[in-house]
Amino acid sequence: GRGQVRGYGVLVLTANEQWYSSYVKRDALSIPLSSITSVALVDAHLGNRILGQKPLYVAFQVGVELDAIAWAVASPTDWTVAIEQAKP
């Protein structure tokens, strides 16, 4: 959806999923690797830019709908490669 969560959290890549949990809300998001349709570094997501950094953008399928999320991460290129290599 077009909702937006801002703030710090934990981002983990496992053999089966990309998982995120916010420190503040303690909400977890699990994205099965098999549902990821694209991974990229973008200039902005939902109108937000991070000066001097390209967020890690992940698009994924939720049923028949497409959704996307972006994170500011250290070593975003490494994350992109790791996710692409982990996808089935």
Side-chain angles (χ1 to χ4, degrees), residues 30-52:
S30 173
I31 304 170
L33 295 179
S34 61
S35 72
I36 294 176
T37 58
S38 67
V39 181
L41 301 181
V42 295
D43 292 324
H45 179 64
L46 296 179
N48 295 308
R49 295 180 179 274
I50 301 170
L51 191 61

Side-chain angles (χ1 to χ4, degrees), residues 11-85:
L11 183 62
V12 178
L13 179 62
T14 73
N16 301 313
E17 68 182 350
Q18 185 168 0
W19 183 85
Y20 172 78
S21 180
S22 168
Y23 287 145
V24 176
K25 287 190 168 193
R26 299 284 186 207
D27 287 342
L29 171 65
S30 173
I31 304 170
L33 295 179
S34 61
S35 72
I36 294 176
T37 58
S38 67
V39 181
L41 301 181
V42 295
D43 292 324
H45 179 64
L46 296 179
N48 295 308
R49 295 180 179 274
I50 301 170
L51 191 61
Q53 188 174 10
K54 289 189 175 247
L56 170 67
Y57 172 88
V58 176
F60 55 98
Q61 197 80 34
V62 181
V64 296
E65 300 291 321
L66 269 179
D67 203 349
I69 191 166
W71 292 278
V73 295
S75 305
T77 301
D78 293 342
W79 273 96
T80 302
V81 170
I83 294 165
E84 286 292 355
Q85 290 177 345

